[in-house]
Amino acid sequence: MHILLGQTLTFVADPFRVPVTEAVQHERRGGVALEAGRILAVGPADEIRAAYPAATVTDHGSALISPGFVDAHAHYPQTAIIASWGKRLIDWLNTYTFPEEARFGDPAHAAEIAALYFELTLAHGTTTAVSYATIHPESVDAFFSEARRRGLRALAGKTCMDTNAPDILADTAQSAYDDSKRLLERWHGVDRLSYVITPRFAPTSTRDQLAALGALWGEHPEVLMQTHLSEQHEEIAWVAELFPEARDYVDVYDRFGLLRDGALMGHAIHLSPRERARLKEAGASLIHCPTSNTFIGSGLFDMDGLMKEGQRIGLATDTGGGSSFSMLRTMAAAYEVAQLRGTPLHPAQLWWLATAGSARALHLGARIGTLAPDYEADLAVIDLASSPAIAQRAARAETLWEAVFPTIMMGDDRAISAVYVGGTRV
Ligand SMILES: [Zn+2]
């Protein structure tokens, strides 16, 4: 039994649906009791200490005890090419991404980058990530082996591409099906690991491959499926050329059994009314990747409109198309993108998106992303005065959110003062 003391923050409701004051429970001096990898109790510090007098106590002072961040879309193989200068999506993929991804058939390289990726994400307070691997099964094994060694909840899948990709990075419809199936059977449900069926995006899969992966998903409805959707106008025009029989980009996935509850659609920026209605009806999750969208010049995600429609939305870094491993920086970028659309987001909404909202988008909303009893004890402890610039602003704050917002806008890994994975400090 272990008790952590600090400020505690629990979302009891979705702050996009109810007023922030009703969505959040905050204790200025709170306690969180942990046992056997789970949260046992959350409440005022005095009550928690009195309830468990024999527990070990770690006092985090005035730091904020939050659920660990949940990154709903990332490419761990792109760790070493983050922040590479490029023009647009397709150019960026060909110049930087594909040459680097080609190296992941080497298990030693894959293992080295997987270890580096988790070092970096944990240092930024991210305790769960959903990653694309490369076409190589070795890259999936490396990711899951490293996540398992660290006791993490993690999700990933083999990226499938059998057309419009360099030969060295192409599989086939059959090998994509066979490799994905074997990896799913090897890793899904092992400890806290989940397999995700992963066609990269419509332009790099033939109809046969999309159909094969749709069939695999039909055979394994318990797993998630991730892909990219409507990131850039050039890409959308290309999809229309490649699949003239489809009504639109969403319809391409729909035709092959790749659109339903459990589909994670990365980006989802430029959508028609029909596509939005169909995504909502299907119960897909839309994953907003704001640092990537500005870095690659893709466009402004319609958070306000999509939330009002009742879409299920998660937040993600999209490293290395995204320019930061930090979900704090990602929240700041989501705020800036929403500002450019004239629809500001409240800091509570940003924090919810990076924790409970992303967990919900991954269908893990009952396990991670919330500071409440029975949830898995994956936590990030946030120093709300981690640099002189932040500290002087936070010192003037009169409310919790006024104290948190400077860290959202200006914070980085220095703001992460402790991380717990399955109740153990890492
Ligand atoms: Zn991506």
Side-chain angles (χ1 to χ4, degrees):
M1 171 83 64
H2 188 185
I3 291 175
L4 312 183
L5 302 178
Q7 298 196 61
T8 58
L9 173 65
T10 299
F11 287 101
V12 294
D14 172 352
F16 285 92
R17 307 265 172 264
V18 304
V20 167
T21 49
E22 292 170 30
V24 175
Q25 276 175 2
H26 170 233
E27 296 287 347
R28 198 163 289 283
R29 189 61 180 158
V32 184
L34 312 177
E35 189 174 55
R38 290 185 179 262
I39 297 170
L40 196 61
V42 182
D46 295 347
E47 284 178 25
I48 297 292
R49 293 193 73 158
Y52 308 102
T56 313
V57 175
T58 302
D59 191 344
H60 288 291
S62 60
L64 180 70
I65 303 172
S66 165
F69 298 128
V70 179
D71 185 346
H73 178 128
H75 300 256
Y76 97 84
Q78 297 172 15
T79 295
I81 56 148
I82 194 167
S84 292
W85 185 89
K87 294 171 194 155
R88 304 281 290 170
L89 174 63
I90 308 304
D91 168 59
W92 182 86
L93 282 172
N94 288 326
T95 309
Y96 300 105
T97 305
F98 290 157
E100 175 64 12
E101 290 196 0
R103 302 178 65 189
F104 280 71
D106 172 7
H109 183 71
E112 182 192 334
I113 300 294
L116 182 60
Y117 175 75
F118 286 116
E119 267 323 294
L120 289 166
T121 48
L122 283 167
H124 286 84
T126 298
T127 49
T128 287
V130 189
S131 184
Y132 289 62
T134 65
I135 68 149
H136 313 94
E138 295 86 348
S139 71
V140 178
D141 290 336
F143 180 88
F144 280 138
S145 298
E146 188 64 28
R148 188 181 193 194
R149 193 176 71 72
R150 294 169 186 263
L152 288 160
R153 182 166 280 290
L155 305 88
K158 176 196 125 71
T159 296
C160 300
M161 299 195 275
D162 66 342
T163 186
N164 294 317
D167 287 347
I168 190 172
L169 275 181
D171 52 17
T172 66
Q174 190 63 45
S175 73
Y177 175 90
D178 292 343
D179 287 345
S180 299
K181 185 178 166 72
R182 195 163 42 242
L183 290 163
L184 188 161
E185 286 167 355
R186 182 180 302 161
W187 292 109
H188 188 70
V190 173
D191 294 342
R192 293 203 289 159
L193 309 176
S194 298
Y195 192 78
V196 186
I197 295 170
T198 308
R200 176 171 228 121
F201 67 152
T204 50
S205 288
T206 59
R207 289 169 184 75
D208 284 351
Q209 182 167 82
L210 293 172
L213 295 174
L216 180 62
W217 202 17
E219 292 158 28
H220 289 279
E222 71 278 15
V223 306
L224 301 174
M225 189 286 307
Q226 63 182 343
T227 191
H228 295 87
L229 172 68
S230 296
E231 182 176 359
Q232 296 207 338
H233 292 296
E234 300 94 309
E235 167 211 4
I236 294 165
W238 192 21
V239 169
E241 235 171 79
L242 292 168
F243 298 91
E245 71 279 20
R247 273 174 287 194
D248 46 43
Y249 201 158
V250 165
D251 194 44
V252 174
Y253 295 126
D254 211 352
R255 283 167 175 259
F256 295 103
L258 294 169
L259 180 65
R260 63 168 170 80
D261 207 23
L264 312 178
M265 296 295 185
H267 304 299
I269 301 170
H270 311 285
L271 300 170
S272 69
R274 193 209 78 86
E275 289 180 294
R276 292 164 70 128
R278 182 63 193 122
L279 288 163
K280 170 73 171 60
E281 179 187 52
S285 298
L286 312 184
I287 311 299
H288 180 32
C289 308
T291 71
S292 170
N293 298 163
T294 53
F295 182 71
I296 305 184
S298 302
L300 306 176
F301 183 82
D302 182 15
M303 181 67 75
D304 183 64
L306 291 163
M307 275 293 185
K308 282 181 177 149
E309 290 169 15
Q311 305 274 6
R312 191 194 292 256
I313 299 174
L315 186 66
T317 61
D318 190 28
T319 48
S323 54
S324 175
F325 292 97
S326 169
M327 289 298 286
L328 292 169
R329 175 72 200 111
T330 303
M331 285 185 244
Y335 179 79
E336 290 160 354
V337 166
Q339 284 288 65
L340 287 169
R341 292 193 69 109
T343 52
L345 291 166
H346 190 280
Q349 294 174 324
L350 295 165
W351 209 273
W352 180 87
L353 280 168
T355 55
S358 279
R360 179 173 165 270
L362 305 181
H363 294 246
L364 290 171
R367 293 180 186 223
I368 56 169
T370 298
L371 204 62
D374 291 333
Y375 277 80
E376 294 170 10
D378 297 337
L379 308 170
V381 182
I382 315 292
D383 176 359
L384 297 176
S386 61
S387 73
I390 295 172
Q392 61 86 29
R393 176 62 189 91
R396 286 194 173 202
E398 290 177 1
T399 67
L400 166 70
W401 294 113
E402 201 183 340
V404 169
F405 194 54
T407 288
I408 291 178
M409 293 311 299
M410 297 191 282
D412 53 29
D413 50 336
R414 290 170 292 174
I416 311 301
S417 60
V419 176
Y420 293 84
V421 172
T424 301
R425 191 166 180 172
V426 297

